[in-house]
């Protein structure tokens, strides 16, 4: 049960004095008087959330002696204090809306996100694949050096799909749900049960105070104020002693509930994206054959043209654009120019421009029965340790084989290498999973050895056991990233809810004012927290109140509380 935190009420003599000179005294007096007023009508709480404290359910009071005896009996019988099931869940629920714990979870979540932004993240699907992971780590070694293995062990390179990130995200969702459900009863009471009576002293001690001369008897002046406030769309609640409670936008606090819901939806999008999204980097040859998207789809992608724009002053590229055609079951279904921030979308798939222009080896691999195991571009993504060779990699999962395609690096002419390669030639190095040396560079005296590695000219082939590897030509390629993410729609929904929630929260701020008719005077007061926006609104309300009685008199005054 929620209840307002109460202070000892101020004495009448003190409350009747002018407002305290300093802010602290004014705040204390206002809080004390408001607490006294709220105590008079506890079932109509109007306090802000910050004034609400959680209190254990009130039970029948027991005589202290009896309580001690019962406790002692329980201790003796069980040897420990027994907490009821209801009390256990109440305490567990209290943990979910703990502000301290919530802040800790948010900070930990922020650390995860910061690490994910600072350090390079492996593409989706890389980490479960041992070979892809090894290749990624090799690439990261050039960037992070000896720290790569440590970062890998800590899960830094796949932080958004790590168990730790999922646990923190779920904890944050639970915390937000706990805080929101704890807040809803307070907002509901404020909305559905308005109007707590306040004492006369409240109008002398409240933070915001105004006074208007009506020229009318108390009941007539109050009736006119009530009519005018209703016309201004205030909710009016009549109180004893010629008083009113008026408010606007009591429902505005539910904007925070909608905002909290948006955070839950966005966090859920993180989880869905981490668990169900799929992305693949397609190295598409420019003007070459379409490349398969994979993921059990019949989609292929072809790049027919590619252009780069450069900055004349710096020489740096400012734009990459590829003309992309998407095929479904061999039929062209969509095409457009694709840029980094202008992707092509087809069905649940989105295709982005991922990288610029690169060189590749155009290679075809076939088996002994003539079936094609690979046909496409092999990007020259790596270099040999001495920098003399440009290396591409083909992975044949069905055979458990990696094939390195090696050729002379740019400008490396007349350099000795394993194959004696000349410009325009390539060599194939075949690795079988688990082997410690290439399969086609073993001792030729062994009966199962294939032919040794050799230089291959464009259009030529190299046969090793059941594999025929054909080097078609060198080509240019560009990187196109294909991605499908079911969490995207949740991000849009969460973003929309966030905009709605924040708009309601800041546009329709809750306003409450007490009005009292006393003789030919109308007193207005509010004990809300200091806020420049509300102070302006209150001042305007007092000025409007003067116009209500302009036909009755021409005297009006406004008093503000010291601040």
């Amino acid at each position: 049960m929620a209840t307002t935190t109460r202070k000892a009420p101020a004495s009448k003599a003190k409350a009747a004095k002018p407002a305290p000179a300093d802010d602290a005294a004014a705040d204390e007096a206002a809080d004390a008087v408001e607490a006294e007023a709220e105590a008079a009508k506890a079932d109509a709480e109007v306090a802000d959330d910050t004034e609400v404290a959680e209190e254990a359910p009130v039970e029948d009071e027991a005589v202290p002696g009896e309580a001690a005896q019962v406790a002692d009996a329980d201790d003796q019988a069980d040897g420990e204090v027994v907490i009821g099931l209801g009390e256990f869940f109440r305490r567990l629920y209290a943990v979910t809306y703990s502000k301290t714990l919530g802040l800790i979870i948010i900070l930990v979540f922020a650390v995860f996100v910061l690490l994910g932004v600072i350090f390079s993240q492996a593409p989706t699907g890389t980490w479960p694949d041992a070979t892809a992971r090894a290749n990624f780590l090799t690439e990261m070694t050039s960037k992070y050096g000896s720290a790569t293995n440590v970062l890998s062990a800590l899960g830094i390179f796949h932080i958004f799909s790590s168990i730790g990130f999922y646990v923190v995200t779920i904890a944050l969702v639970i915390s937000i749900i706990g805080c929101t459900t704890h807040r809803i009863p307070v907002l509901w009471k404020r909305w559905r049960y308005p109007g707590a009576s306040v004492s006369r002293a409240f109008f002398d001690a409240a933070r915001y105070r105004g006074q208007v001369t009506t020229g009318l008897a108390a009941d007539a002046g109050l009736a006119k104020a009530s009519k005018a406030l209703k016309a201004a769309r205030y909710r009016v609640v009549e109180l004893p002693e010629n008083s009113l409670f008026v408010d606007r936008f009591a429902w505005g606090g539910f904007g925070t509930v909608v905002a909290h819901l948006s955070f839950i939806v966005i966090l859920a999008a993180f989880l869905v994206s981490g668990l169900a999204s799929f992305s693949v980097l397609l190295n598409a040859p420019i003007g070459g054959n379409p490349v398969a998207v994979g993921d059990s789809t019949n989609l292929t992608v072809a790049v027919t043209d590619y252009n780069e724009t450069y900055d004349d002053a710096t020489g740096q590229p400012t734009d990459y654009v590829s003309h992309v055609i998407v095929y479904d079951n061999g039929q062209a279904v969509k095409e457009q120019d694709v840029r980094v921030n202008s992707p092509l979308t087809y069905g649940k798939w989105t295709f982005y421009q991922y990288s610029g222009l690169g060189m590749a080896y155009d290679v075809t691999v076939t088996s002994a029965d003539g079936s094609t195991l690979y046909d496409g571009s092999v990007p020259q993504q790596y270099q040999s340790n001495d920098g003399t060779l440009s290396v591409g990699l083909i992975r044949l999962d069905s055979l458990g084989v990696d094939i390195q395609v090696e050729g002379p690096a740019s400008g490396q002419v007349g350099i000795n290498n394993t194959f004696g390669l000349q410009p325009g030639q390539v060599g194939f190095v075949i690795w079988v999973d688990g082997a410690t040396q290439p399969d086609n560079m073993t001792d030729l005296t062994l009966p199962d050895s294939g032919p040794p590695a050799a230089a291959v000219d464009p259009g030529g082939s190299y046969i090793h056991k059941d594999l025929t590897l054909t080097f078609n030509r060198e080509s240019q390629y560009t990187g196109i990233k294909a991605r499908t993410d079911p969490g995207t729609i949740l991000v849009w929904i969460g973003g929309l809810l966030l905009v709605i929630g924040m708009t309601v929260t800041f546009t329709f701020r809750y306003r409450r004012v007490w009005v009292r008719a006393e003789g030919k005077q109308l007193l207005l007061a509010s004990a809300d927290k200091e806020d420049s926006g509300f102070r302006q609104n209150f001042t305007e309300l007092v000025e409007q109140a003067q116009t209500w009685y302009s036909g009755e008199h021409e005297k009006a005054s406004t008093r503000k509380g010291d601040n």
Side-chain angles (χ1 to χ4, degrees):
M1 167 181 171
T3 180
T4 55
T5 305
R6 300 179 181 173
K7 298 179 182 178
S11 66
K12 292 183 178 180
K14 183 177 179 180
K17 292 181 180 180
D22 60 282
D23 290 349
D27 292 350
E28 181 178 359
D31 290 345
V33 175
E34 185 176 12
E36 177 186 1
E38 292 170 340
K41 197 173 181 180
D43 60 333
E45 294 178 7
V46 294
D48 288 332
D49 292 347
T50 54
E51 297 172 324
V52 176
E54 185 67 12
E55 182 178 88
V58 178
E59 300 178 352
D60 294 336
E61 293 186 359
V63 177
E66 293 178 352
Q69 291 176 3
V70 172
D72 290 341
D74 289 342
D75 289 345
Q76 293 173 2
D78 303 328
E80 58 182 6
V81 178
V82 178
I83 299 177
L85 187 61
E87 175 66 10
F88 170 77
F89 283 110
R90 192 194 72 80
R91 294 187 181 185
L92 185 62
Y93 172 62
V95 171
T96 65
Y97 60 79
S98 167
K99 292 181 179 179
T100 301
L101 181 60
L103 179 60
I104 292 174
I105 294 173
I106 291 173
L107 291 176
V108 174
F109 183 83
V111 170
F112 271 91
V113 173
L114 183 62
L115 291 174
V117 171
I118 293 175
F119 294 97
S120 300
Q121 297 297 296
T124 304
T126 298
W127 220 248
D129 186 325
T131 301
R133 182 171 67 249
N135 292 336
F136 175 80
L137 292 177
T138 299
E139 184 178 348
M140 291 301 101
T141 300
S142 62
K143 186 174 183 179
Y144 300 109
S146 58
T148 301
N149 290 334
V150 176
L151 295 174
S152 174
L154 293 174
I156 299 299
F157 295 127
H158 60 110
I159 202 161
F160 295 122
S161 61
S162 65
I163 298 299
F165 182 75
Y166 291 151
V167 169
V168 173
T169 301
I170 292 172
L172 185 55
V173 169
I174 293 174
S175 178
I176 294 175
I177 292 174
C179 291
T180 304
T181 56
H182 182 61
R183 179 181 175 82
I184 287 176
V186 177
L187 298 174
W188 178 263
K189 288 179 181 179
R190 186 175 76 183
W191 180 38
R192 301 301 299 169
Y193 305 103
S197 297
V198 295
S199 69
R200 173 61 180 81
F202 175 76
F203 293 88
D204 289 324
R207 183 186 297 275
Y208 304 94
R209 309 191 297 280
Q211 180 176 312
V212 175
T213 301
T214 66
L216 299 173
D219 55 348
L222 191 67
K224 196 161 190 175
S226 177
K227 182 179 179 180
L229 287 165
K230 288 179 180 177
R233 298 184 179 179
Y234 278 86
R235 176 173 55 176
V236 178
V237 179
E238 295 184 0
L239 301 176
E241 301 180 355
N242 286 328
S243 298
L244 300 174
F245 171 81
V246 301
D247 68 354
R248 288 194 70 184
F249 310 129
W251 48 268
F254 286 99
T256 60
V257 175
V258 176
H260 287 176
L261 177 61
S262 74
F263 294 140
I264 294 173
V265 173
I266 291 172
L267 290 173
F270 271 106
L271 293 177
V272 172
S273 295
L275 295 172
S277 66
F278 176 83
S279 65
V280 59
L281 178 58
L282 307 175
N283 297 308
I286 299 171
N289 295 329
V291 292
V293 173
D295 194 37
S296 302
T297 73
N298 295 315
L299 299 180
T300 56
V301 175
V303 175
T304 60
D305 191 23
Y306 174 87
N307 288 290
E308 293 181 355
T309 303
Y310 292 87
D311 186 296
D312 293 335
T314 64
Q316 296 297 316
T318 58
D319 187 29
Y320 307 107
V321 54
S322 297
H323 189 76
V324 176
I325 303 177
V326 177
Y327 297 87
D328 193 348
N329 281 319
Q331 298 295 318
V333 291
K334 193 167 185 180
E335 65 176 291
Q336 73 174 58
D337 286 342
V338 172
R339 290 179 168 83
V340 175
N341 294 317
S342 180
L344 179 155
T345 300
Y346 174 70
K348 67 178 184 178
W349 289 90
T350 303
F351 300 89
Y352 302 88
Q353 182 71 49
Y354 183 77
S355 63
L357 189 66
M359 296 302 298
Y361 303 115
D362 195 356
V363 174
T364 302
V365 181
T366 57
S367 62
D369 60 6
S371 60
T372 300
L373 302 178
Y374 183 88
D375 184 18
S377 295
V378 184
Q380 300 174 15
Q381 294 177 306
Y382 311 101
Q383 280 195 331
S384 58
N385 292 333
D386 59 8
T388 61
L389 297 174
S390 293
V391 182
L393 183 66
I394 301 173
R395 172 64 184 176
L396 302 179
D397 285 317
S398 60
L399 301 180
V401 168
D402 287 317
I403 301 174
Q404 289 179 201
V405 186
E406 303 180 351
S410 178
Q412 301 293 327
V413 180
I415 303 296
N416 292 327
N417 52 62
T418 305
F419 305 97
L421 298 175
Q422 299 299 314
Q425 295 181 322
V426 300
F428 297 99
V429 181
I430 301 171
W431 291 84
V432 177
D433 289 352
T436 57
Q437 59 182 338
D439 194 56
N440 62 332
M441 299 178 73
T442 55
D443 187 348
L444 296 181
T445 60
L446 299 178
D448 61 345
S449 296
V456 179
D457 293 311
S461 296
Y462 167 67
I463 299 175
H464 176 72
K465 298 183 179 178
D466 293 335
L467 297 178
T468 299
L469 298 89
T470 302
F471 171 45
N472 301 308
R473 60 188 176 92
E474 272 194 294
S475 63
Q476 294 179 317
Y477 79 97
T478 187
I480 301 295
K481 189 171 186 178
R483 181 174 177 82
T484 177
D485 186 357
T488 301
I489 184 63
L490 293 179
V491 173
W492 283 103
I493 293 173
L496 178 62
L497 290 174
L498 181 60
V499 171
I500 293 173
M502 300 305 286
T503 299
V504 170
T505 299
F506 290 106
T507 304
F508 302 99
R509 187 184 184 280
Y510 180 49
R511 306 170 186 173
R512 56 176 181 167
V513 178
W514 282 265
V515 181
R516 181 184 181 94
E518 202 171 74
K520 294 185 179 183
Q521 301 293 319
L522 190 72
L523 308 179
L524 300 92
S526 181
D528 278 22
K529 299 173 184 177
E530 177 55 35
D531 178 85
S532 59
F534 183 78
R535 178 169 289 282
Q536 180 180 356
N537 176 263
F538 183 80
T539 301
E540 291 173 353
L541 180 62
V542 174
E543 292 172 351
Q544 291 172 9
Q546 297 176 21
T547 66
W548 302 339
Y549 307 100
S550 58
E552 310 292 339
H553 64 88
E554 302 201 4
K555 273 178 74 176
S557 64
T558 301
R559 294 189 293 131
K560 291 183 181 179
D562 289 332
N563 208 14

